Amino acid sequence: MKVHVVSDVHGNAKDLAMAGDGADALICLGDLVLFLDYADHSRGIFPDLFGVENADLIVALRTARRFEEARELGRRLWSELEADRESAIESAVRRQYAEMFAAFPTPTYATYGNVDIPTLWPEYAGPGTTVLDGERVEIGGRVFGFVGGGLISPMRTPYEISEEEYAAKVEALGEVDVLCSHIPPEIPELTYDTVARRFERGSRALLDAIRRTRPRYALFGHVHQPLVRRMRIGATECVNVGHFASTGRPWALEW
């Protein structure tokens, strides 16, 4: 049995269409939407609406951790735009979701990332795509548990939830062979992004579950350029499966 795993697709539909080649199933750990490409500021919903110069500026502010100034810039830009904010974002996200979900092979097992909009997924997920969040599924005789979304952060992305709500989803999984989440467990080496030069949010509940239930693997994404991509926590191999938007390569799990 061979499963390919991707995360942080961020608009890379071309490579996503080939991500399942040679595998029995594809797992996607979220972040299909591309709001702003930090490597290429001309790509994403933000520059499409406000131009590359404003994208350059907001990236610079966020990288410098000047989050309030970045939010103020965003508020000003939206106030000057001759369109309703929610409608403009939803329209752009819908265009991306139509392309992303059409690229999924059968079968695909997917959960949400922090920049995704879960309420829209049922409209685009076809019969070959199973969406899971706080749920388990058996694949090739192994039990996989899925936890979607992110924790509340200064970035204020669309699908951020409280630590209590997140922990409840982790608890609902029970013991699994493979723990799949969008964000990593709360370990400094796994949460630090070496390019953004900041710690991303990791989950204490995930870390506690790993120590308590000892899954074979804990798979995640979210941190695009992590200090450490792989490490062991007790009996569990923790793996950042990679920033698929930039690499175009899935991570393979075979048994």
Side-chain angles (χ1 to χ4, degrees), residues 217-241:
Y217 291 92
L219 308 180
F220 50 87
H222 186 55
V223 184
H224 293 176
Q225 296 88 199
L227 184 63
V228 173
R229 294 191 176 276
R230 191 165 184 156
M231 69 182 298
R232 294 194 71 85
I233 300 175
T236 303
E237 187 76 12
C238 299
V239 183
N240 184 319
V241 300

Side-chain angles (χ1 to χ4, degrees), residues 77-175:
L77 291 173
W78 280 110
S79 68
E80 295 171 355
L81 189 70
E82 294 181 1
D84 175 70
R85 175 173 181 160
E86 298 302 323
S87 297
I89 290 177
E90 182 174 319
S91 178
V93 170
R94 284 182 177 277
R95 287 193 296 270
Q96 292 189 14
Y97 276 167
E99 190 176 14
M100 295 296 105
F101 280 92
F104 278 147
T106 297
T108 290
Y109 302 90
T111 196
Y112 317 112
N114 61 294
V115 303
D116 287 311
I117 302 178
T119 54
L120 296 182
W121 280 37
E123 297 182 42
Y124 297 94
T129 298
T130 302
V131 179
L132 302 128
D133 187 16
E135 299 165 285
R136 309 152 44 106
V137 66
E138 184 176 314
I139 305 173
R142 288 191 176 181
V143 178
F144 288 68
F146 290 79
V147 185
L151 295 172
I152 295 170
S153 77
M155 304 297 285
R156 298 185 182 180
T157 50
Y159 188 38
E160 296 181 350
I161 60 177
S162 69
E163 293 190 31
E164 292 76 16
E165 186 178 352
Y166 195 93
K169 293 195 294 185
V170 175
E171 183 67 25
L173 298 179
E175 295 187 8

Side-chain angles (χ1 to χ4, degrees), residues 34-37 40-55 78 81 88 92-93 95-96:
L34 179 62
F35 279 97
L36 177 58
D37 189 331
D40 180 354
H41 303 169
S42 68
R43 298 182 63 243
I45 295 171
F46 189 93
D48 286 349
L49 291 172
F50 304 117
V52 177
E53 287 187 5
N54 284 315
W78 280 110
L81 189 70
V93 170
R95 287 193 296 270
Q96 292 189 14

